[in-house]
Amino acid sequence: MAESKANVLVLGAGSGGLIAGNLLGYHGFNVTIVEKSDYHLFQPGMLWIAFQGHDPARYMRKVESLVRPGVNLVKDTVTEIDLGERAVKLASGKTLSYDILIIALGVSYDYDAIPGNREALERFGDFYSGPEHAARLWKNFSAMKEGRLVVAAGDPGYKCTPAPHKAVFLASETLKKKGLRGKVKVTLAVPFVHSYASETLAKLIDPKLEEAGIEVVTMFTAESVDLEKKKLYSLEGEELDFDLLALIPVHKGPQVTIKPDSVTDDDGYIKVDKYTLQVEGYDDVYAVGDCTNAPTSKTGVTAHLGAEVVADRILGFDARFTGRTNCPLVMNGEASFAISTYDHPVIPVRPSKMKRFFEDLFIGIYWPSLKYPERFRGIFKAYFDATDPAVLGEAGW
């Protein structure tokens, strides 16, 4: 166990950074969290802003309000991490040292990887790049009376695999309420063989997609956008016409210089031991959440559970990260979950209204669970134990 008064430096106040920092603060460590943004965003909420017109404020909280008393918050931008010197440089010119470092800087978006993506974002908005862009997408979507909405991805390695599926289902719900289903065509273009990355889950959601009148185009990896012609081209040589485009940008690791550069891969993701989340070659440095190269989906749940593992390891326990996912997929008033671990592929989780209630319940406890994670660990543990793929097996849930 590390000394309880050790200086723990956490980079990033997303869900992983806040949970790790607040947990260790609760246990008496000297914790400093560095965050450049004024607000913490509940990322899935961007979908409800973009396709159902929710108020962005509903899914935003001041970062200060989510840091527990006793944990220090520094509002600044990380520019360089030197693991050999145990030093982190900030945009303000300050340098912070540490005994233990937790990197939770998330991903960055490469809008230039797909020609036309940046221009499409400025014209149409999207549901990944923040509340202002989600609100722009809603403004464009809500004005549609006819035409075609296309939701597509430029690379299969994006945050929350069900996100584009949730997008088209939420859009379809709104169109149905407005009496425009059939007049506005909704198309989901995915870079997978099936409608979803997992064939198991694809078989469960295909009837729901058909029921909602959603067109699915498989094996379509967005390669370029022509805004003048309103065409989206794929790496596979196909093209789609659109009147409104919601394009998921290509993801990369955090935009920060890390020394040595051997700890990052070609896309900038931080190399970690997938079970301990220690950065390769450094026993005093961890990385959690979307910024790592761990072979699991980039989701809030994996960040949450990874943060708990890191905190427990710093506390002296032999905790192991299982790669657990629990991605909600909302559809037609129901929901399913993409549940898997390193050792178990996605299991069949049948859509139901009860599971939609679970998703809504989670949103209700999301904010307090970030600030006081120790109060909610028992609740989450009970749920994750009961829905472990090894417990549910091939019969699913």
Side-chain angles (χ1 to χ4, degrees), residues 103 123 163 255-256:
I103 305 172
R123 180 180 297 185
Q255 290 184 321
V256 59

mmCIF file of all heavy atoms in Angstrom, residues 103 123 163 255-256:
data_model
loop_
_atom_site.group_PDB
_atom_site.id
_atom_site.type_symbol
_atom_site.label_atom_id
_atom_site.label_comp_id
_atom_site.label_asym_id
_atom_site.label_seq_id
_atom_site.Cartn_x
_atom_site.Cartn_y
_atom_site.Cartn_z
ATOM 1 N N ILE A 103 -3.332 8.967 -15.304
ATOM 2 C CA ILE A 103 -3.651 9.691 -16.538
ATOM 3 C C ILE A 103 -5.057 9.303 -16.977
ATOM 4 O O ILE A 103 -5.348 8.129 -17.203
ATOM 5 C CB ILE A 103 -2.635 9.373 -17.648
ATOM 6 C CG1 ILE A 103 -1.209 9.657 -17.162
ATOM 7 C CG2 ILE A 103 -2.946 10.196 -18.901
ATOM 8 C CD1 ILE A 103 -0.135 9.182 -18.132
ATOM 9 N N ARG A 123 -21.228 22.767 -40.189
ATOM 10 C CA ARG A 123 -22.535 23.018 -40.793
ATOM 11 C C ARG A 123 -23.658 22.292 -40.058
ATOM 12 O O ARG A 123 -24.714 22.873 -39.789
ATOM 13 C CB ARG A 123 -22.544 22.573 -42.260
ATOM 14 C CG ARG A 123 -23.887 22.826 -42.933
ATOM 15 C CD ARG A 123 -23.905 22.397 -44.389
ATOM 16 N NE ARG A 123 -22.953 23.149 -45.203
ATOM 17 C CZ ARG A 123 -22.868 23.009 -46.525
ATOM 18 N NH1 ARG A 123 -23.660 22.168 -47.172
ATOM 19 N NH2 ARG A 123 -21.983 23.713 -47.197
ATOM 20 N N ALA A 163 -23.524 3.983 -29.580
ATOM 21 C CA ALA A 163 -23.933 5.382 -29.714
ATOM 22 C C ALA A 163 -24.645 5.701 -31.022
ATOM 23 O O ALA A 163 -25.716 6.336 -31.010
ATOM 24 C CB ALA A 163 -22.722 6.301 -29.515
ATOM 25 N N GLN A 255 -4.086 14.606 -26.867
ATOM 26 C CA GLN A 255 -3.133 15.490 -27.525
ATOM 27 C C GLN A 255 -2.209 16.127 -26.485
ATOM 28 O O GLN A 255 -2.387 17.272 -26.080
ATOM 29 C CB GLN A 255 -3.868 16.555 -28.330
ATOM 30 C CG GLN A 255 -4.575 16.019 -29.561
ATOM 31 C CD GLN A 255 -5.206 17.122 -30.388
ATOM 32 O OE1 GLN A 255 -5.748 18.073 -29.859
ATOM 33 N NE2 GLN A 255 -5.128 16.980 -31.699
ATOM 34 N N VAL A 256 -1.227 15.377 -26.070
ATOM 35 C CA VAL A 256 -0.256 15.853 -25.086
ATOM 36 C C VAL A 256 1.062 15.123 -25.351
ATOM 37 O O VAL A 256 1.062 13.957 -25.765
ATOM 38 C CB VAL A 256 -0.765 15.584 -23.649
ATOM 39 C CG1 VAL A 256 -1.015 14.101 -23.427
ATOM 40 C CG2 VAL A 256 0.196 16.122 -22.613
#
